[in-house]
């Protein structure tokens, strides 16, 4: 998303980012942990494609969540096929975020979480303000409405996903 720093070519900078992501995966594998990935492109899917390709190299040993998932459903399907999960922010409450809404509607149960991405991406009606953890409920309510499910169903399902991904004691 951001341009290469002064003195770097875009390709050298992106190669360094790919190298660091591989190192993160190697560390996660050695520590028997999962990994959280955030990709962001100004246009296209280059960083997503790079991150997913690297994830596939490690997917037998490490599970990834693509957090702050921007949609569309076709990208989510690629994450699911690799064994990963996705996570939705307050963007799922935005009227102009049809790709995210479509992804939330199409995502299989057990394949996603909800999050704040604090301090950014506060859900409607707090859009443009500092995002707080308590706002996660608004995102979950929007996703439940989009999916035709109850808030309780979404809460139970996402709680199980979180407990499994982060290996929390139950």
């Amino acid at each position: 998303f951001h341009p290469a720093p002064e003195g770097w070519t875009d390709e050298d900078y992106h190669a360094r980012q790919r190298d660091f992501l591989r190192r993160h995966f190697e560390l996660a594998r050695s520590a028997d942990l999962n990994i959280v990935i955030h990709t962001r492109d100004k246009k296209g899917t280059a960083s997503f494609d790079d991150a997913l390709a690297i994830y596939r190299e490690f997917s037998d040993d490490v599970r990834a969540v693509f957090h702050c998932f921007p949609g569309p459903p076709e990208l989510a399907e690629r994450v699911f096929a690799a064994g990963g999960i996705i996570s939705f922010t307050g963007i799922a409450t935005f009227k102009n975020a049809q790709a995210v809404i479509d992804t939330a509607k199409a995502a299989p149960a057990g394949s996603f979480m909800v999050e704040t991405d604090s301090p950014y991406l506060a859900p409607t009606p707090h859009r443009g303000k500092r995002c707080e953890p308590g706002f996660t409920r608004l995102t979950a309510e929007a996703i439940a409405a989009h999916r035709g499910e109850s808030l309780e169903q979404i809460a139970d399902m996402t709680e199980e996903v979180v407990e499994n991904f982060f290996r929390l004691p139950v």
Side-chain angles (χ1 to χ4, degrees), residues 6-168:
E6 187 175 326
W8 289 77
T9 66
D10 282 340
E11 182 48 41
D12 287 343
Y13 186 52
H14 294 157
R16 183 179 174 119
Q17 290 175 326
R18 289 187 296 269
D19 177 55
F20 282 152
L21 183 57
R22 275 191 186 87
R23 291 180 191 200
H24 277 82
F25 270 105
E26 289 167 358
L27 183 60
R29 180 172 53 198
S30 70
D32 193 29
L33 295 172
N34 292 322
I35 194 165
V36 178
I37 298 176
H38 184 123
T39 63
R40 188 170 175 201
D41 290 289
K42 282 188 181 179
K43 61 181 179 177
T45 61
S47 70
F48 173 84
D49 294 339
D50 285 348
L52 187 62
I54 293 167
Y55 173 41
R56 285 186 181 124
E57 296 172 24
F58 293 88
S59 64
D60 288 342
D61 303 311
V62 178
R63 192 164 194 205
V65 59
F66 282 69
H67 104 97
C68 196
F69 196 78
E74 297 78 28
L75 295 184
E77 290 169 10
R78 292 171 57 196
V79 172
F80 304 149
I85 58 177
I86 61 176
S87 187
F88 296 109
T89 64
I91 293 174
T93 69
F94 299 174
K95 290 179 183 171
N96 65 346
Q98 196 59 51
V100 172
I101 293 167
D102 290 346
T103 302
K105 288 164 53 174
S111 67
F112 66 90
M113 297 187 264
V114 292
E115 60 170 293
T116 62
D117 198 41
S118 282
Y120 307 107
L121 303 173
T124 303
H126 304 287
R127 189 171 179 181
K129 299 177 184 162
R130 179 182 172 88
C131 193
E132 302 291 338
F135 297 168
T136 305
R137 179 185 178 109
L138 298 169
T139 301
E141 288 172 345
I143 290 171
H146 294 313
R147 292 172 62 88
E149 297 174 351
S150 71
L151 176 61
E152 291 74 23
Q153 288 173 300
I154 294 297
D156 289 346
M157 185 267 301
T158 56
E159 184 175 349
E160 184 176 338
V161 173
V162 167
E163 288 170 352
N164 289 334
F165 183 81
F166 292 106
R167 300 181 186 135
L168 301 176

